[in-house]
Amino acid sequence: MATIKSGSQLKKDSLRIDQLREQLNRYSYLYYVLDNPEIPDSEYDRLYRELQQLEQKYPDLVTPDSPTQRVGELPLESFTQVTHRVPMLSLDNVFSEDELEAFFKRVNDRLELDEEPDINAEPKLDGLAVSLIYEDGLFIQAATRGDGATGENVTQNVKTIHSVPLRLMGKGIPGLLEVRGEVFMPREGFNKLNKRALENGDKTFVNPRNAAAGSLRQLDPKITASRPLAFYCYSTGAVERGDLPNTQDSVLLQLQKWGLPVCPEIKLIKGIKDCISYYETIQRQRDDLPYDIDGVVYKVNKLALQNRLGFVARAPRWAIAHKFPAQEEVTYISNVDFQVGRTGAITPVARLQPVFVGGVTVSNATLHNMDEIERKDVRIGDKVFIRRAGDVIPEVVRVVPGSRKRNVKKIKLPEHCPVCGSDIERIEGEAAARCTGGLICKAQRTEAIKHFASRKAMDIDGLGDRLVEQMVESGLIETVVDLFRLKVDEIAGLERMGQKSAENLIAAIDNSRKPALAKLIYALGIREVGEATARSLASSFGNLQVIMDTDEDVLQQIQDIGPIVAKHITHFFAQAHNQQVIKQLLKEIDIQLPEVNKDKQVLSGKTFVITGTLSEMTRDEAKERLLSAGAKVSGSVSAKTDYVLAGDKAGSKLARAEKLGVEVIDEARLRELLSS
Ligand code: I6G
């Protein structure tokens, strides 16, 4: 009787195991491939744990494609070699429209078609090319490109990447299918990884590509599993016992239906004009994409035409990479200066032999702090890589290996502030060295005034950095209070000013006399108090005097405020000169106190993304209104986004919202929502 009972239990559990695997695979597909999750993470975790428990009970029922089998048990001794069934070629590059024209001419001359061929265009991801082998739909091997003929077997590492399906689904899957694509690290994951490394005192990665490469080449798959890698496929290699469709776009669609992730920005276009506009669009969207790219790839879409074009040397004649201008270049450090920031932090800045990077000439690059200089072992006279990403300040990435000359000079932190001569101190546990001069230091005062006037702070239109520097330099202003006492005649005489500009500036200063409390707190430039913390302080205390009088323990009750931030806040308000400036400031401005009534938070719990150019307000203003109505404002669209506020020339975020079915609204609808 007992045997019969356990037999039927086994059958029941075995069916449940199958059901759980199918469900989990489907949810992974919806999440990773279609970017459209159907269940919350907690529900996925619950099903996953149930499967794990059942598999522990029946080890014989564990299969290699089970979602629980992504992380292997044992580290490898070394990677074995894999010979690619079909060589993994590289792509030829073009860097200009002339070179692109020459590519199209070669294609058109060979094909002698009546019209220009369809082209499949895609962003060129900055990751690592890999080949995945599926046998009867089961993932059995992954290899790096290596030298094109032979690569390294990275199967157990690629298995840990959740967007790589362990079993393909659907009909018509060839008996042997080789899928090729790029393993990469999305920027968000990369930033978190580096943040964690910094906190733990570990080495950080130079860029997402290096992080992806380093993660894929780990002998211990548990380490790879802890790294946020992703995968997009872009073509196939060997195909046996089955067929694929006859165009590049339909092959990718088919791969996606079988469960493989495909980059959502891929587009079918025609001719060189479309290619150039695709290139320009993707280049504009580059900084908003969730991953690094270094150009776009165009492929002749029809496979029959690809076959006719064939290959030259190690690259196909039917595809080309159109690269963006380099963002990393090599140059020499001619000197290092030390800049003093608003909070006294000393930043070493490398003066460079000018070099053209990512479309602009760069002569200065940050070295961040002394720890970074030591970690990278950078010296004056070194040949170094410079990186410029988006509108971020160019940075020295590393010394070119093997390039060091004998006459290079070590970089030394000065003992005294280069601006005010006060002592420089380095506090244990802090990366930055600081000038101890406080507001005696002209550099700190200048930076504090720049920050005070900036867009996200008091938003004084027309008061740019250069003008603040001139006004401090000429002695017109010493503190932010002096701004409100300026007269037109005093500033009309400054360089590149005139009567009209001076009048406009005074009007802009007057316009800023009624700041919201949160903006004013942010504008004061307290260390570690960014916009979000300033908003929390304003909405929690509702009044500047209360914040000034609150002690560290009470401050720590507020969201976002830990012991360090609380200390900075109380320290700031305890300084006699800060108290003096605030006292004077309050005679000049009229702070708008926040509406702390929670009923007014009409958009509480809703997440918005703002994209494109708005016509009635700036994006920052829209953000401000949303935040004060209790909404969250995020930088990227996901299935969790409630609304996308789209203005003119909205790009990839709008497309993504439409794809995910997220409601897209305009400014009129935003007004309705805010007043609802
Ligand atoms: O579509 C592609 C993207 C990136 C590629 C490619 C690539 O190399 C990193 N390489 C080849 C050979 C092909 N497509 C055909």
PDB file of all heavy atoms in Angstrom, residues 87-91 122-125 127-129 145 180-182 233-236 248 266 297-299 306 311 314-316 318-319 321, ligand 1:
ATOM      1  N   PRO A  87      33.981  29.179 -39.344  1.00  0.00           N
ATOM      2  CA  PRO A  87      34.820  30.216 -38.721  1.00  0.00           C
ATOM      3  C   PRO A  87      34.005  31.441 -38.311  1.00  0.00           C
ATOM      4  O   PRO A  87      33.047  31.807 -38.992  1.00  0.00           O
ATOM      5  CB  PRO A  87      35.817  30.580 -39.828  1.00  0.00           C
ATOM      6  CG  PRO A  87      35.803  29.424 -40.751  1.00  0.00           C
ATOM      7  CD  PRO A  87      34.448  28.789 -40.667  1.00  0.00           C
ATOM      8  N   MET A  88      34.414  32.018 -37.182  1.00  0.00           N
ATOM      9  CA  MET A  88      33.746  33.261 -36.737  1.00  0.00           C
ATOM     10  C   MET A  88      34.546  34.431 -37.291  1.00  0.00           C
ATOM     11  O   MET A  88      35.656  34.709 -36.832  1.00  0.00           O
ATOM     12  CB  MET A  88      33.715  33.336 -35.208  1.00  0.00           C
ATOM     13  CG  MET A  88      32.707  32.400 -34.600  1.00  0.00           C
ATOM     14  SD  MET A  88      32.583  32.624 -32.808  1.00  0.00           S
ATOM     15  CE  MET A  88      31.515  34.045 -32.662  1.00  0.00           C
ATOM     16  N   LEU A  89      33.960  35.093 -38.284  1.00  0.00           N
ATOM     17  CA  LEU A  89      34.693  36.158 -38.967  1.00  0.00           C
ATOM     18  C   LEU A  89      34.587  37.467 -38.184  1.00  0.00           C
ATOM     19  O   LEU A  89      33.848  37.564 -37.218  1.00  0.00           O
ATOM     20  CB  LEU A  89      34.110  36.343 -40.370  1.00  0.00           C
ATOM     21  CG  LEU A  89      34.118  35.066 -41.206  1.00  0.00           C
ATOM     22  CD1 LEU A  89      33.369  35.267 -42.497  1.00  0.00           C
ATOM     23  CD2 LEU A  89      35.559  34.625 -41.458  1.00  0.00           C
ATOM     24  N   SER A  90      35.336  38.444 -38.658  1.00  0.00           N
ATOM     25  CA  SER A  90      35.151  39.777 -38.071  1.00  0.00           C
ATOM     26  C   SER A  90      34.465  40.656 -39.120  1.00  0.00           C
ATOM     27  O   SER A  90      34.212  40.205 -40.238  1.00  0.00           O
ATOM     28  CB  SER A  90      36.489  40.359 -37.652  1.00  0.00           C
ATOM     29  OG  SER A  90      37.375  40.219 -38.719  1.00  0.00           O
ATOM     30  N   LEU A  91      34.179  41.874 -38.748  1.00  0.00           N
ATOM     31  CA  LEU A  91      33.511  42.793 -39.676  1.00  0.00           C
ATOM     32  C   LEU A  91      34.496  43.860 -40.116  1.00  0.00           C
ATOM     33  O   LEU A  91      35.324  44.305 -39.323  1.00  0.00           O
ATOM     34  CB  LEU A  91      32.351  43.495 -38.969  1.00  0.00           C
ATOM     35  CG  LEU A  91      31.097  42.698 -38.685  1.00  0.00           C
ATOM     36  CD1 LEU A  91      30.114  43.555 -37.896  1.00  0.00           C
ATOM     37  CD2 LEU A  91      30.453  42.235 -39.984  1.00  0.00           C
ATOM     38  N   GLU A 122      21.579  47.421 -37.124  1.00  0.00           N
ATOM     39  CA  GLU A 122      21.534  47.139 -35.682  1.00  0.00           C
ATOM     40  C   GLU A 122      22.622  47.951 -34.977  1.00  0.00           C
ATOM     41  O   GLU A 122      23.638  48.295 -35.592  1.00  0.00           O
ATOM     42  CB  GLU A 122      21.794  45.645 -35.428  1.00  0.00           C
ATOM     43  CG  GLU A 122      23.191  45.247 -35.859  1.00  0.00           C
ATOM     44  CD  GLU A 122      23.490  43.755 -35.745  1.00  0.00           C
ATOM     45  OE1 GLU A 122      23.747  43.310 -34.635  1.00  0.00           O
ATOM     46  OE2 GLU A 122      23.495  43.077 -36.771  1.00  0.00           O
ATOM     47  N   PRO A 123      22.438  48.265 -33.689  1.00  0.00           N
ATOM     48  CA  PRO A 123      23.529  48.894 -32.948  1.00  0.00           C
ATOM     49  C   PRO A 123      24.668  47.881 -32.776  1.00  0.00           C
ATOM     50  O   PRO A 123      24.400  46.685 -32.665  1.00  0.00           O
ATOM     51  CB  PRO A 123      22.908  49.210 -31.581  1.00  0.00           C
ATOM     52  CG  PRO A 123      21.463  48.958 -31.717  1.00  0.00           C
ATOM     53  CD  PRO A 123      21.254  48.029 -32.852  1.00  0.00           C
ATOM     54  N   LYS A 124      25.901  48.361 -32.772  1.00  0.00           N
ATOM     55  CA  LYS A 124      27.020  47.435 -32.579  1.00  0.00           C
ATOM     56  C   LYS A 124      27.383  47.448 -31.095  1.00  0.00           C
ATOM     57  O   LYS A 124      27.979  48.408 -30.585  1.00  0.00           O
ATOM     58  CB  LYS A 124      28.209  47.840 -33.430  1.00  0.00           C
ATOM     59  CG  LYS A 124      29.309  46.825 -33.397  1.00  0.00           C
ATOM     60  CD  LYS A 124      30.328  47.093 -34.473  1.00  0.00           C
ATOM     61  CE  LYS A 124      31.438  46.066 -34.403  1.00  0.00           C
ATOM     62  NZ  LYS A 124      32.103  46.032 -33.110  1.00  0.00           N
ATOM     63  N   LEU A 125      27.012  46.396 -30.417  1.00  0.00           N
ATOM     64  CA  LEU A 125      27.231  46.334 -28.964  1.00  0.00           C
ATOM     65  C   LEU A 125      28.709  46.212 -28.626  1.00  0.00           C
ATOM     66  O   LEU A 125      29.453  45.525 -29.342  1.00  0.00           O
ATOM     67  CB  LEU A 125      26.485  45.127 -28.377  1.00  0.00           C
ATOM     68  CG  LEU A 125      25.057  45.443 -27.949  1.00  0.00           C
ATOM     69  CD1 LEU A 125      24.129  45.449 -29.133  1.00  0.00           C
ATOM     70  CD2 LEU A 125      24.592  44.440 -26.935  1.00  0.00           C
ATOM     71  N   GLY A 127      30.706  44.453 -26.587  1.00  0.00           N
ATOM     72  CA  GLY A 127      30.812  43.315 -25.677  1.00  0.00           C
ATOM     73  C   GLY A 127      31.773  42.292 -26.271  1.00  0.00           C
ATOM     74  O   GLY A 127      32.790  42.673 -26.853  1.00  0.00           O
ATOM     75  N   LEU A 128      31.418  41.024 -26.111  1.00  0.00           N
ATOM     76  CA  LEU A 128      32.277  39.956 -26.654  1.00  0.00           C
ATOM     77  C   LEU A 128      31.446  39.028 -27.524  1.00  0.00           C
ATOM     78  O   LEU A 128      30.379  38.574 -27.095  1.00  0.00           O
ATOM     79  CB  LEU A 128      32.767  39.064 -25.527  1.00  0.00           C
ATOM     80  CG  LEU A 128      33.866  39.558 -24.682  1.00  0.00           C
ATOM     81  CD1 LEU A 128      33.255  40.087 -23.414  1.00  0.00           C
ATOM     82  CD2 LEU A 128      34.765  38.395 -24.376  1.00  0.00           C
ATOM     83  N   ALA A 129      31.991  38.701 -28.707  1.00  0.00           N
ATOM     84  CA  ALA A 129      31.255  37.802 -29.597  1.00  0.00           C
ATOM     85  C   ALA A 129      31.353  36.371 -29.050  1.00  0.00           C
ATOM     86  O   ALA A 129      32.436  35.930 -28.631  1.00  0.00           O
ATOM     87  CB  ALA A 129      31.856  37.861 -30.990  1.00  0.00           C
ATOM     88  N   ARG A 145      34.927  33.950 -29.460  1.00  0.00           N
ATOM     89  CA  ARG A 145      35.372  33.952 -30.852  1.00  0.00           C
ATOM     90  C   ARG A 145      36.832  33.481 -30.964  1.00  0.00           C
ATOM     91  O   ARG A 145      37.185  32.791 -31.898  1.00  0.00           O
ATOM     92  CB  ARG A 145      35.254  35.374 -31.427  1.00  0.00           C
ATOM     93  CG  ARG A 145      35.596  35.429 -32.912  1.00  0.00           C
ATOM     94  CD  ARG A 145      36.239  36.756 -33.303  1.00  0.00           C
ATOM     95  NE  ARG A 145      35.345  37.856 -33.123  1.00  0.00           N
ATOM     96  CZ  ARG A 145      34.555  38.355 -34.068  1.00  0.00           C
ATOM     97  NH1 ARG A 145      34.556  37.812 -35.260  1.00  0.00           N
ATOM     98  NH2 ARG A 145      33.789  39.385 -33.822  1.00  0.00           N
ATOM     99  N   ARG A 180      24.929  33.062 -32.924  1.00  0.00           N
ATOM    100  CA  ARG A 180      26.038  33.957 -32.578  1.00  0.00           C
ATOM    101  C   ARG A 180      25.521  35.300 -32.096  1.00  0.00           C
ATOM    102  O   ARG A 180      24.469  35.763 -32.544  1.00  0.00           O
ATOM    103  CB  ARG A 180      26.931  34.148 -33.799  1.00  0.00           C
ATOM    104  CG  ARG A 180      27.656  32.855 -34.092  1.00  0.00           C
ATOM    105  CD  ARG A 180      28.508  32.949 -35.297  1.00  0.00           C
ATOM    106  NE  ARG A 180      29.239  31.705 -35.472  1.00  0.00           N
ATOM    107  CZ  ARG A 180      30.032  31.454 -36.477  1.00  0.00           C
ATOM    108  NH1 ARG A 180      30.193  32.347 -37.435  1.00  0.00           N
ATOM    109  NH2 ARG A 180      30.665  30.308 -36.541  1.00  0.00           N
ATOM    110  N   GLY A 181      26.251  35.881 -31.217  1.00  0.00           N
ATOM    111  CA  GLY A 181      25.805  37.179 -30.698  1.00  0.00           C
ATOM    112  C   GLY A 181      26.820  37.743 -29.742  1.00  0.00           C
ATOM    113  O   GLY A 181      27.978  37.314 -29.705  1.00  0.00           O
ATOM    114  N   GLU A 182      26.371  38.717 -28.989  1.00  0.00           N
ATOM    115  CA  GLU A 182      27.282  39.476 -28.129  1.00  0.00           C
ATOM    116  C   GLU A 182      26.892  39.304 -26.659  1.00  0.00           C
ATOM    117  O   GLU A 182      25.725  39.503 -26.297  1.00  0.00           O
ATOM    118  CB  GLU A 182      27.133  40.953 -28.535  1.00  0.00           C
ATOM    119  CG  GLU A 182      28.305  41.805 -28.222  1.00  0.00           C
ATOM    120  CD  GLU A 182      29.423  41.758 -29.262  1.00  0.00           C
ATOM    121  OE1 GLU A 182      29.369  40.927 -30.211  1.00  0.00           O
ATOM    122  OE2 GLU A 182      30.373  42.529 -29.097  1.00  0.00           O
ATOM    123  N   CYS A 233      21.449  38.031 -29.634  1.00  0.00           N
ATOM    124  CA  CYS A 233      22.004  37.309 -30.779  1.00  0.00           C
ATOM    125  C   CYS A 233      21.892  38.168 -32.030  1.00  0.00           C
ATOM    126  O   CYS A 233      21.024  39.033 -32.132  1.00  0.00           O
ATOM    127  CB  CYS A 233      21.319  35.965 -30.966  1.00  0.00           C
ATOM    128  SG  CYS A 233      19.579  36.053 -31.241  1.00  0.00           S
ATOM    129  N   TYR A 234      22.813  37.955 -32.981  1.00  0.00           N
ATOM    130  CA  TYR A 234      22.750  38.729 -34.222  1.00  0.00           C
ATOM    131  C   TYR A 234      22.887  37.896 -35.488  1.00  0.00           C
ATOM    132  O   TYR A 234      22.714  38.409 -36.574  1.00  0.00           O
ATOM    133  CB  TYR A 234      23.756  39.885 -34.221  1.00  0.00           C
ATOM    134  CG  TYR A 234      25.201  39.524 -33.962  1.00  0.00           C
ATOM    135  CD1 TYR A 234      25.940  38.729 -34.840  1.00  0.00           C
ATOM    136  CD2 TYR A 234      25.840  40.016 -32.836  1.00  0.00           C
ATOM    137  CE1 TYR A 234      27.270  38.431 -34.600  1.00  0.00           C
ATOM    138  CE2 TYR A 234      27.176  39.715 -32.579  1.00  0.00           C
ATOM    139  CZ  TYR A 234      27.877  38.926 -33.473  1.00  0.00           C
ATOM    140  OH  TYR A 234      29.186  38.621 -33.234  1.00  0.00           O
ATOM    141  N   SER A 235      23.247  36.621 -35.361  1.00  0.00           N
ATOM    142  CA  SER A 235      23.293  35.800 -36.582  1.00  0.00           C
ATOM    143  C   SER A 235      23.409  34.331 -36.203  1.00  0.00           C
ATOM    144  O   SER A 235      23.423  33.987 -35.014  1.00  0.00           O
ATOM    145  CB  SER A 235      24.464  36.198 -37.484  1.00  0.00           C
ATOM    146  OG  SER A 235      25.677  35.821 -36.865  1.00  0.00           O
ATOM    147  N   THR A 236      23.507  33.492 -37.219  1.00  0.00           N
ATOM    148  CA  THR A 236      23.684  32.062 -36.961  1.00  0.00           C
ATOM    149  C   THR A 236      24.997  31.617 -37.591  1.00  0.00           C
ATOM    150  O   THR A 236      25.550  32.311 -38.456  1.00  0.00           O
ATOM    151  CB  THR A 236      22.533  31.250 -37.572  1.00  0.00           C
ATOM    152  OG1 THR A 236      22.445  31.575 -38.949  1.00  0.00           O
ATOM    153  CG2 THR A 236      21.215  31.542 -36.877  1.00  0.00           C
ATOM    154  N   GLN A 248      17.808  38.082 -43.240  1.00  0.00           N
ATOM    155  CA  GLN A 248      18.397  38.331 -41.909  1.00  0.00           C
ATOM    156  C   GLN A 248      17.310  38.703 -40.900  1.00  0.00           C
ATOM    157  O   GLN A 248      17.285  38.188 -39.785  1.00  0.00           O
ATOM    158  CB  GLN A 248      19.437  39.469 -42.052  1.00  0.00           C
ATOM    159  CG  GLN A 248      19.913  40.087 -40.770  1.00  0.00           C
ATOM    160  CD  GLN A 248      20.904  39.225 -39.986  1.00  0.00           C
ATOM    161  OE1 GLN A 248      21.413  38.213 -40.492  1.00  0.00           O
ATOM    162  NE2 GLN A 248      21.158  39.596 -38.751  1.00  0.00           N
ATOM    163  N   ILE A 266      16.974  46.861 -33.631  1.00  0.00           N
ATOM    164  CA  ILE A 266      17.261  46.398 -34.994  1.00  0.00           C
ATOM    165  C   ILE A 266      16.142  46.843 -35.934  1.00  0.00           C
ATOM    166  O   ILE A 266      14.964  46.798 -35.589  1.00  0.00           O
ATOM    167  CB  ILE A 266      17.444  44.859 -35.014  1.00  0.00           C
ATOM    168  CG1 ILE A 266      18.692  44.504 -34.210  1.00  0.00           C
ATOM    169  CG2 ILE A 266      17.536  44.339 -36.440  1.00  0.00           C
ATOM    170  CD1 ILE A 266      19.081  43.053 -34.253  1.00  0.00           C
ATOM    171  N   VAL A 297      25.791  48.327 -37.271  1.00  0.00           N
ATOM    172  CA  VAL A 297      26.172  47.325 -38.288  1.00  0.00           C
ATOM    173  C   VAL A 297      25.059  47.281 -39.335  1.00  0.00           C
ATOM    174  O   VAL A 297      23.882  47.267 -38.982  1.00  0.00           O
ATOM    175  CB  VAL A 297      26.319  45.918 -37.651  1.00  0.00           C
ATOM    176  CG1 VAL A 297      26.644  44.875 -38.716  1.00  0.00           C
ATOM    177  CG2 VAL A 297      27.394  45.922 -36.580  1.00  0.00           C
ATOM    178  N   TYR A 298      25.452  47.309 -40.618  1.00  0.00           N
ATOM    179  CA  TYR A 298      24.475  47.144 -41.693  1.00  0.00           C
ATOM    180  C   TYR A 298      24.740  45.806 -42.366  1.00  0.00           C
ATOM    181  O   TYR A 298      25.895  45.464 -42.642  1.00  0.00           O
ATOM    182  CB  TYR A 298      24.630  48.221 -42.764  1.00  0.00           C
ATOM    183  CG  TYR A 298      24.762  49.636 -42.234  1.00  0.00           C
ATOM    184  CD1 TYR A 298      25.915  50.374 -42.495  1.00  0.00           C
ATOM    185  CD2 TYR A 298      23.742  50.237 -41.509  1.00  0.00           C
ATOM    186  CE1 TYR A 298      26.051  51.677 -42.038  1.00  0.00           C
ATOM    187  CE2 TYR A 298      23.874  51.536 -41.046  1.00  0.00           C
ATOM    188  CZ  TYR A 298      25.031  52.245 -41.309  1.00  0.00           C
ATOM    189  OH  TYR A 298      25.169  53.528 -40.849  1.00  0.00           O
ATOM    190  N   LYS A 299      23.645  45.078 -42.659  1.00  0.00           N
ATOM    191  CA  LYS A 299      23.799  43.796 -43.360  1.00  0.00           C
ATOM    192  C   LYS A 299      22.831  43.747 -44.526  1.00  0.00           C
ATOM    193  O   LYS A 299      21.653  44.128 -44.357  1.00  0.00           O
ATOM    194  CB  LYS A 299      23.456  42.632 -42.420  1.00  0.00           C
ATOM    195  CG  LYS A 299      24.474  42.421 -41.348  1.00  0.00           C
ATOM    196  CD  LYS A 299      24.082  41.297 -40.430  1.00  0.00           C
ATOM    197  CE  LYS A 299      25.153  41.173 -39.355  1.00  0.00           C
ATOM    198  NZ  LYS A 299      24.770  40.295 -38.277  1.00  0.00           N
ATOM    199  N   GLN A 306      23.519  37.710 -49.819  1.00  0.00           N
ATOM    200  CA  GLN A 306      24.731  37.559 -48.988  1.00  0.00           C
ATOM    201  C   GLN A 306      25.621  36.477 -49.595  1.00  0.00           C
ATOM    202  O   GLN A 306      26.831  36.644 -49.730  1.00  0.00           O
ATOM    203  CB  GLN A 306      24.362  37.151 -47.556  1.00  0.00           C
ATOM    204  CG  GLN A 306      23.681  38.241 -46.742  1.00  0.00           C
ATOM    205  CD  GLN A 306      23.487  37.845 -45.277  1.00  0.00           C
ATOM    206  OE1 GLN A 306      23.905  36.783 -44.838  1.00  0.00           O
ATOM    207  NE2 GLN A 306      22.845  38.723 -44.517  1.00  0.00           N
ATOM    208  N   PHE A 311      32.719  36.438 -49.238  1.00  0.00           N
ATOM    209  CA  PHE A 311      33.638  36.967 -48.226  1.00  0.00           C
ATOM    210  C   PHE A 311      34.923  37.476 -48.862  1.00  0.00           C
ATOM    211  O   PHE A 311      35.295  37.022 -49.933  1.00  0.00           O
ATOM    212  CB  PHE A 311      34.012  35.852 -47.236  1.00  0.00           C
ATOM    213  CG  PHE A 311      32.790  35.318 -46.539  1.00  0.00           C
ATOM    214  CD1 PHE A 311      32.049  34.281 -47.104  1.00  0.00           C
ATOM    215  CD2 PHE A 311      32.366  35.862 -45.343  1.00  0.00           C
ATOM    216  CE1 PHE A 311      30.918  33.801 -46.475  1.00  0.00           C
ATOM    217  CE2 PHE A 311      31.235  35.390 -44.714  1.00  0.00           C
ATOM    218  CZ  PHE A 311      30.501  34.355 -45.278  1.00  0.00           C
ATOM    219  N   ARG A 314      38.936  37.911 -44.098  1.00  0.00           N
ATOM    220  CA  ARG A 314      38.265  37.343 -42.922  1.00  0.00           C
ATOM    221  C   ARG A 314      36.953  38.045 -42.611  1.00  0.00           C
ATOM    222  O   ARG A 314      36.450  37.983 -41.509  1.00  0.00           O
ATOM    223  CB  ARG A 314      39.216  37.415 -41.735  1.00  0.00           C
ATOM    224  CG  ARG A 314      40.495  36.660 -42.018  1.00  0.00           C
ATOM    225  CD  ARG A 314      41.468  36.755 -40.894  1.00  0.00           C
ATOM    226  NE  ARG A 314      40.979  36.037 -39.732  1.00  0.00           N
ATOM    227  CZ  ARG A 314      40.991  36.529 -38.500  1.00  0.00           C
ATOM    228  NH1 ARG A 314      41.423  37.749 -38.296  1.00  0.00           N
ATOM    229  NH2 ARG A 314      40.560  35.799 -37.497  1.00  0.00           N
ATOM    230  N   ALA A 315      36.393  38.771 -43.589  1.00  0.00           N
ATOM    231  CA  ALA A 315      35.155  39.515 -43.317  1.00  0.00           C
ATOM    232  C   ALA A 315      34.140  39.326 -44.443  1.00  0.00           C
ATOM    233  O   ALA A 315      34.523  39.148 -45.601  1.00  0.00           O
ATOM    234  CB  ALA A 315      35.488  40.991 -43.162  1.00  0.00           C
ATOM    235  N   PRO A 316      32.840  39.340 -44.094  1.00  0.00           N
ATOM    236  CA  PRO A 316      31.831  39.225 -45.158  1.00  0.00           C
ATOM    237  C   PRO A 316      31.792  40.489 -46.030  1.00  0.00           C
ATOM    238  O   PRO A 316      32.036  41.577 -45.517  1.00  0.00           O
ATOM    239  CB  PRO A 316      30.523  39.055 -44.384  1.00  0.00           C
ATOM    240  CG  PRO A 316      30.782  39.548 -43.014  1.00  0.00           C
ATOM    241  CD  PRO A 316      32.249  39.450 -42.758  1.00  0.00           C
ATOM    242  N   TRP A 318      29.035  41.408 -47.351  1.00  0.00           N
ATOM    243  CA  TRP A 318      27.643  41.849 -47.269  1.00  0.00           C
ATOM    244  C   TRP A 318      27.306  42.573 -45.958  1.00  0.00           C
ATOM    245  O   TRP A 318      26.148  42.862 -45.683  1.00  0.00           O
ATOM    246  CB  TRP A 318      26.683  40.656 -47.451  1.00  0.00           C
ATOM    247  CG  TRP A 318      27.154  39.408 -46.732  1.00  0.00           C
ATOM    248  CD1 TRP A 318      27.891  38.398 -47.268  1.00  0.00           C
ATOM    249  CD2 TRP A 318      26.937  39.065 -45.354  1.00  0.00           C
ATOM    250  NE1 TRP A 318      28.158  37.435 -46.320  1.00  0.00           N
ATOM    251  CE2 TRP A 318      27.578  37.818 -45.128  1.00  0.00           C
ATOM    252  CE3 TRP A 318      26.272  39.661 -44.290  1.00  0.00           C
ATOM    253  CZ2 TRP A 318      27.560  37.170 -43.892  1.00  0.00           C
ATOM    254  CZ3 TRP A 318      26.259  39.023 -43.060  1.00  0.00           C
ATOM    255  CH2 TRP A 318      26.904  37.801 -42.875  1.00  0.00           C
ATOM    256  N   ALA A 319      28.324  42.819 -45.164  1.00  0.00           N
ATOM    257  CA  ALA A 319      28.070  43.512 -43.888  1.00  0.00           C
ATOM    258  C   ALA A 319      29.194  44.494 -43.617  1.00  0.00           C
ATOM    259  O   ALA A 319      30.336  44.291 -44.060  1.00  0.00           O
ATOM    260  CB  ALA A 319      27.983  42.505 -42.748  1.00  0.00           C
ATOM    261  N   ALA A 321      30.574  47.457 -40.397  1.00  0.00           N
ATOM    262  CA  ALA A 321      30.334  48.191 -39.142  1.00  0.00           C
ATOM    263  C   ALA A 321      30.636  49.664 -39.395  1.00  0.00           C
ATOM    264  O   ALA A 321      31.703  50.008 -39.898  1.00  0.00           O
ATOM    265  CB  ALA A 321      31.239  47.655 -38.043  1.00  0.00           C
TER     266      ALA A 321
HETATM  267  O1  I6G B   1      25.854  41.725 -36.402  1.00  0.00           O
HETATM  268  C1  I6G B   1      27.097  41.675 -35.911  1.00  0.00           C
HETATM  269  C2  I6G B   1      27.442  42.360 -34.809  1.00  0.00           C
HETATM  270  C3  I6G B   1      28.733  42.273 -34.315  1.00  0.00           C
HETATM  271  C4  I6G B   1      28.022  40.842 -36.593  1.00  0.00           C
HETATM  272  C5  I6G B   1      29.330  40.763 -36.101  1.00  0.00           C
HETATM  273  C6  I6G B   1      29.666  41.494 -34.959  1.00  0.00           C
HETATM  274  O2  I6G B   1      30.916  41.372 -34.525  1.00  0.00           O
HETATM  275  C7  I6G B   1      31.214  41.891 -33.243  1.00  0.00           C
HETATM  276  N1  I6G B   1      30.238  39.985 -36.722  1.00  0.00           N
HETATM  277  C8  I6G B   1      29.872  39.339 -37.809  1.00  0.00           C
HETATM  278  C9  I6G B   1      30.890  38.526 -38.507  1.00  0.00           C
HETATM  279  C10 I6G B   1      28.572  39.401 -38.308  1.00  0.00           C
HETATM  280  N2  I6G B   1      27.667  40.148 -37.699  1.00  0.00           N
HETATM  281  C11 I6G B   1      28.162  38.673 -39.504  1.00  0.00           C
END
